[in-house]
Amino acid sequence: MGETKNTNRPENGSRPVVSVRGLTVGYRTRDGLVEAVRDVSFDIHPKETLGLVGESGCGKSTVAFALVNALGPNGQIGSGRILFDGQDLVGKSQQQLRALRGDRIAMVFQDPMQALNPSLRIGRQLIEVLTSHRPIGQQEARQRAVGMLRRVQMPDPHQVMDRYPHQLSGGQQQRVVIAMAMLNHPALLLMDEPTTALDVTVEAAVLDLVEDLKRDFDTANLFITHNLGVVARVSDRVCVMYAGQVVEQAPTDELFRRPAHPYTRGLLNCLPRLGQSKHTAVLSTIDGRVPRPDNRPADACVFAPRCHYAIDRCRRQRPAMVRLTEAHQVRCLLADAPAGQQRAVKASKGGGKAEAVRPDTDKTGHLLLLEGAKVYYRHETSRLVDLLGLGQARFVKAVDNVSLRLRRGRTLGIVGESGCGKSSLVKGIIGLEPLSGGRIDFLGLTLNQTVTRRDLEVVRQMQMVFQNPDSTLNPVYSVGRQIARPMIRFKTVPRVRVKSEVLRLLEAVRLGPSYYYRLPRQLSGGEKQRVGIARALACKPDLIICDEPVSALDVSVQGAVINLLLDIQSAFGTTMIFIAHDLSVVRYLSDEIAVMYLGQVVEIGPAQAIYRPPYHPYTEALLSAVPIPDPDADQARIRLIGNVPSALDPPAGCRFHTRCPRRGLAPGQGALCARKAPGWQQNGQGHRILCHIPIETLKQLPPVLHPAA
């Protein structure tokens, strides 16, 4: 069964729930009023989702906050109208707006803990939303809250009512926030990056939930995201924002088939598609960065400095919105250049062959070897129990009997949901956590000790790039000093050559000498990540471990960082381990892929083999949940039920059997899966699957993404 497409469209003549016209928003600063959003217009009808996309700093969240005038003390709406159910919200008092917030207009944030009070039980917070807007009693409010928790598919809703937010998983917290937003059946739901921090399986379930609630409650949705795959899945229409302006607006299918603005095409070109690899396609990038609100031209196209199609007229004339069709508008002076558009549209579809296939590096010799590696964490009990010697010690089996081989110059991708053991595995490899069993061989040396006991030369040869560069960069040290420090510590170059080597690395990561004396606060997120990569390279390592290095980046910056990693691997012959939850990125970068579930590798093999049958049922579910930036894609719909079990007490038999959608493929299969741990099945060319279901049966599974798509 393919993925259900968006078919809801506003009926002819129906009044929009919200109509925004010429909205301009500014912030008062020491230098005067700075416009963050300029001349934004759109409508959202009942049962319709408008996707709002663009890079960070484009004004997406500002638009959402402006709708309910929650801009903060220095923010103000300069001009324009916001018509909600026929009444203009601009100029409304805070008391009038408070009556609407949480009732007729609700909002869901990226971080659910922004909306949940950590010191109050879930039930009290849900009940308060109802009683503050409706004349109902506590008992009726509690019943409605439990019903809405059940409606958002929350397991054990009565128990959840008595829990605190920290006792729920991230996906459960987000479901609670959505339930809270829907309790009063709002006419307008504002969703600001609601799935960015979620696993791909949880994200798919939440997006399904959003679609169901929109249909059942006639809600109009404004969905803000930087993920174009999510936009393609949930949106009926899309507004593309750049530097505070809407530069293109169209129905979702038309925008993806015929993107007209160079910025829209650039965003689409930055994305790796699920079937692409580094050997068959090169990702495009958008040079430069979004200009700051106080540095945007008033009499020119604001995108011209980054546009490959810009002409002189673009630099001295501000474009207006041009209507290409009844529903498709674009803000571009070259919108009437069909030949140029056709060339660009063809490029935006992706999948073209790379200009030159990147050379495959040395395939001989294993740089890294893991045999039966285990990383266990002792489960903490009360001190009284420990002192009395009561009970047995219990362990969280974060990594349990994992074996891997990684050849020189290759990239191993590791995927899986949160809590499956990916980060614990690399911590064991790099020595941040002690091994509880098994062994690790690196460069022919056995490394079972932690990093503090390893030889300095071994430490130098193995470096990490982390997800959040802010947590690893010292805010008071300059970029140059931070890159130089490992060179001095490991003596990779003589002291007299340290600065010249730092400058060379800055050039290698496309930053340049001007960044040498800058502080981290003066850099964008993508620039900080490049500094982190340069610092890892400063040691001249043989192995770089990348732990979610692009998950927090805009798609344009993500493409540039991916290309940078590939260029570095090609130039230096570096071996990489790449952890990510975006399976499209992992497929593009990796030579081999390991799929982890509850501390074990359940499937491993060449990248191209992992993305076609036979799949492990868990891999199949992960692939079906990937949001694909193509509304025409024919994608299977497989949703996992329940959460990942606790690694403290994993299920007997196959650890995946409690959630496996393929458990009943053969008679008696379910009982076997629950009783006996599976063994490895070989599919040739290094492709192995840990599953009781025979390989021949798994080969009969239909592809998750059909070739016709």
Side-chain angles (χ1 to χ4, degrees):
M1 175 72 77
E3 186 73 57
T4 302
K5 300 300 174 189
N6 298 316
T7 57
N8 297 318
R9 292 290 184 270
E11 297 178 4
N12 292 332
S14 67
R15 187 177 73 177
V17 172
V18 63
S19 181
V20 177
R21 289 291 176 269
L23 179 65
T24 298
V25 179
Y27 289 92
R28 292 183 296 274
T29 69
R30 287 176 296 181
D31 299 323
L33 187 68
V34 175
E35 286 187 351
V37 168
R38 183 170 60 186
D39 192 24
V40 168
S41 300
F42 59 79
D43 294 332
I44 313 178
H45 292 76
K47 290 189 177 183
E48 183 183 36
T49 297
L50 176 69
L52 200 59
V53 300
E55 297 168 283
S56 298
C58 284
K60 306 185 299 296
S61 296
T62 299
V63 169
F65 286 122
L67 293 182
V68 288
N69 200 7
L71 296 168
N74 66 326
Q76 65 180 53
I77 296 175
S79 61
R81 305 180 70 195
I82 301 172
L83 298 176
F84 173 72
D85 272 352
Q87 57 179 322
D88 197 344
L89 300 185
V90 178
K92 292 275 188 186
S93 68
Q94 285 299 317
Q95 182 178 359
Q96 291 172 313
L97 290 171
R98 275 195 295 270
L100 290 173
R101 297 174 193 150
D103 183 19
R104 299 291 294 148
I105 302 175
M107 193 161 188
V108 177
F109 297 94
Q110 174 178 347
D111 181 4
M113 291 305 289
Q114 290 183 9
L116 296 175
N117 189 324
S119 63
L120 298 180
R121 297 182 190 273
I122 296 298
R124 181 175 172 183
Q125 298 185 57
L126 291 172
I127 290 170
E128 187 178 285
V129 171
L130 281 166
T131 56
S132 61
H133 293 283
R134 296 284 186 274
I136 61 175
Q138 292 282 321
Q139 189 59 37
E140 183 182 352
R142 184 177 182 86
Q143 291 175 355
R144 288 195 189 183
V146 170
M148 186 56 72
L149 286 177
R150 188 176 291 114
R151 181 66 188 79
V152 299
Q153 301 168 17
M154 178 69 74
D156 302 321
H158 288 281
Q159 294 182 20
V160 169
M161 291 284 284
D162 296 324
R163 292 176 186 166
Y164 290 96
H166 73 271
Q167 295 175 305
L168 305 180
S169 68
Q172 289 174 332
Q173 290 174 359
Q174 197 63 288
R175 287 173 187 267
V176 168
V177 173
I178 293 174
M180 186 181 296
M182 299 303 298
L183 271 173
N184 289 313
H185 299 180
L188 175 62
L189 181 61
L190 311 176
M191 310 193 79
D192 191 358
E193 300 274 10
T195 62
T196 298
L198 303 179
D199 286 320
V200 64
T201 51
V202 181
E203 176 183 63
V206 169
L207 294 179
D208 291 344
L209 173 62
V210 170
E211 284 294 285
D212 291 344
L213 294 175
K214 177 183 70 174
R215 181 185 63 248
D216 295 347
F217 295 103
D218 293 348
T219 309
N221 290 345
L222 178 66
F223 198 104
I224 299 171
T225 182
H226 68 270
N227 189 324
L228 293 173
V230 170
V231 169
R233 177 174 288 182
V234 303
S235 298
D236 301 295
R237 290 187 301 114
V238 181
C239 277
V240 181
M241 286 194 70
Y242 181 77
Q245 292 182 320
V246 173
V247 296
E248 187 163 5
Q249 182 175 173
T252 302
D253 50 1
E254 185 170 346
L255 183 122
F256 278 84
R257 290 189 194 120
R258 291 178 290 277
H261 197 281
Y263 180 60
T264 308
R265 296 195 294 260
L267 291 176
L268 291 170
N269 284 340
C270 292
L271 294 169
R273 305 306 168 109
L274 200 57
Q276 288 181 336
S277 78
K278 59 188 176 183
H279 300 296
T280 60
V282 176
L283 296 182
S284 297
T285 58
I286 304 175
D287 297 332
R289 57 196 291 188
V290 180
R292 298 184 312 180
D294 60 351
N295 190 32
R296 295 172 182 171
D299 54 355
C301 174
V302 71
F303 186 63
R306 304 176 70 189
C307 181
H308 295 297
Y309 303 95
I311 58 177
D312 288 342
R313 186 159 62 103
C314 300
R315 299 177 180 89
R316 49 185 170 80
Q317 181 180 341
R318 181 183 171 188
M321 288 294 277
V322 176
R323 193 175 292 275
L324 300 180
T325 66
E326 183 63 28
H328 194 168
Q329 303 174 62
V330 61
R331 190 184 300 274
C332 183
L333 296 173
L334 303 178
D336 57 351
Q341 285 179 17
Q342 291 302 316
R343 288 193 295 272
V345 168
K346 184 178 180 180
S348 75
K349 297 300 286 186
K353 290 190 175 181
E355 293 180 6
V357 174
R358 288 183 171 90
D360 206 0
T361 49
D362 179 21
K363 297 182 181 180
T364 63
H366 291 96
L367 182 78
L368 181 70
L369 175 68
L370 275 70
E371 292 287 353
K374 299 179 180 180
V375 177
Y376 290 179
Y377 301 103
R378 185 184 179 91
H379 179 60
E380 296 295 333
T381 56
S382 70
R383 295 199 65 185
L384 179 61
V385 171
D386 289 339
L387 289 172
L388 296 177
L390 301 176
Q392 287 186 323
R394 302 179 69 198
F395 295 90
V396 175
K397 299 176 181 179
V399 178
D400 198 14
N401 195 30
V402 168
S403 298
L404 297 171
R405 295 170 183 261
L406 180 57
R407 293 179 295 198
R408 288 182 178 272
R410 308 279 284 184
T411 298
L412 172 68
I414 303 179
V415 299
E417 295 169 288
S418 296
C420 71
K422 306 185 299 295
S423 294
S424 294
L425 176 62
V426 298
K427 285 178 181 178
I429 293 172
I430 209 163
L432 295 178
E433 296 290 349
L435 281 190
S436 305
R439 69 188 181 98
I440 298 175
D441 286 355
F442 177 65
L443 292 171
L445 301 173
T446 299
L447 302 181
N448 285 11
Q449 63 272 52
T450 57
V451 66
T452 55
R453 298 186 177 184
R454 292 181 180 179
D455 185 84
L456 198 61
E457 178 63 14
V458 174
V459 176
R460 179 187 71 80
Q461 293 280 12
M462 194 183 294
Q463 295 295 310
M464 280 195 75
V465 177
F466 296 91
Q467 175 178 355
N468 183 9
D470 282 318
S471 64
T472 58
L473 294 179
N474 191 318
V476 300
Y477 286 173
S478 69
V479 165
R481 182 175 178 181
Q482 298 195 57
I483 298 175
R485 189 175 182 185
M487 295 181 187
I488 297 170
R489 177 73 176 88
F490 294 108
K491 301 177 181 178
T492 53
V493 295
R495 275 188 174 269
V496 294
R497 288 178 44 206
V498 166
K499 184 173 182 179
S500 62
E501 183 67 11
V502 171
L503 294 174
R504 187 184 71 83
L505 281 175
L506 286 172
E507 291 286 358
V509 297
R510 312 288 192 271
L511 289 179
S514 64
Y515 285 80
Y516 187 91
Y517 293 106
R518 294 190 191 182
L519 296 173
R521 62 180 171 80
Q522 297 173 300
L523 309 181
S524 67
E527 288 169 339
K528 290 175 187 175
Q529 197 60 286
R530 289 166 184 256
V531 172
I533 294 171
R535 190 173 59 179
L537 288 172
C539 302
K540 299 183 178 177
D542 274 351
L543 175 65
I544 294 181
I545 300 174
C546 301
D547 191 359
E548 299 273 11
V550 298
S551 62
L553 303 178
D554 289 321
V555 290
S556 56
V557 182
Q558 173 185 286
V561 172
I562 290 172
N563 285 340
L564 173 62
L565 288 171
L566 291 175
D567 290 342
I568 287 169
Q569 185 174 46
S570 179
F572 298 99
T574 309
T575 307
M576 287 195 295
I577 295 177
F578 191 90
I579 297 175
H581 66 267
D582 188 329
L583 276 74
S584 301
V585 172
V586 172
R587 169 68 180 95
Y588 182 80
L589 269 172
S590 303
D591 300 294
E592 288 88 29
I593 294 175
V595 182
M596 289 192 70
Y597 182 79
L598 203 58
Q600 295 183 333
V601 173
V602 297
E603 184 169 6
I604 188 169
Q608 65 273 16
I610 300 293
Y611 287 75
R612 62 172 182 254
Y615 314 107
H616 188 282
Y618 179 58
T619 308
E620 182 188 29
L622 290 179
L623 290 172
S624 77
V626 176
I628 297 174
D630 183 356
D632 296 324
D634 187 8
Q635 187 177 12
R637 178 184 171 129
I638 302 168
R639 300 291 182 260
L640 298 181
I641 305 301
N643 299 313
V644 179
S646 170
L648 182 65
D649 188 21
C654 173
R655 295 190 176 183
F656 185 58
H657 84 267
T658 58
R659 303 172 73 203
C660 182
R662 300 293 186 183
R663 187 176 166 189
L665 273 182
Q669 192 79 57
L672 176 64
C673 296
R675 184 182 72 252
K676 182 181 178 182
W680 285 105
Q681 297 189 71
Q682 305 288 338
N683 189 46
Q685 297 183 332
H687 183 201
R688 297 180 294 151
I689 297 176
L690 191 70
C691 186
H692 283 301
I693 302 173
I695 283 282
E696 292 307 315
T697 303
L698 293 176
K699 286 181 179 179
Q700 303 306 312
L701 299 177
V704 169
L705 183 66
H706 294 282

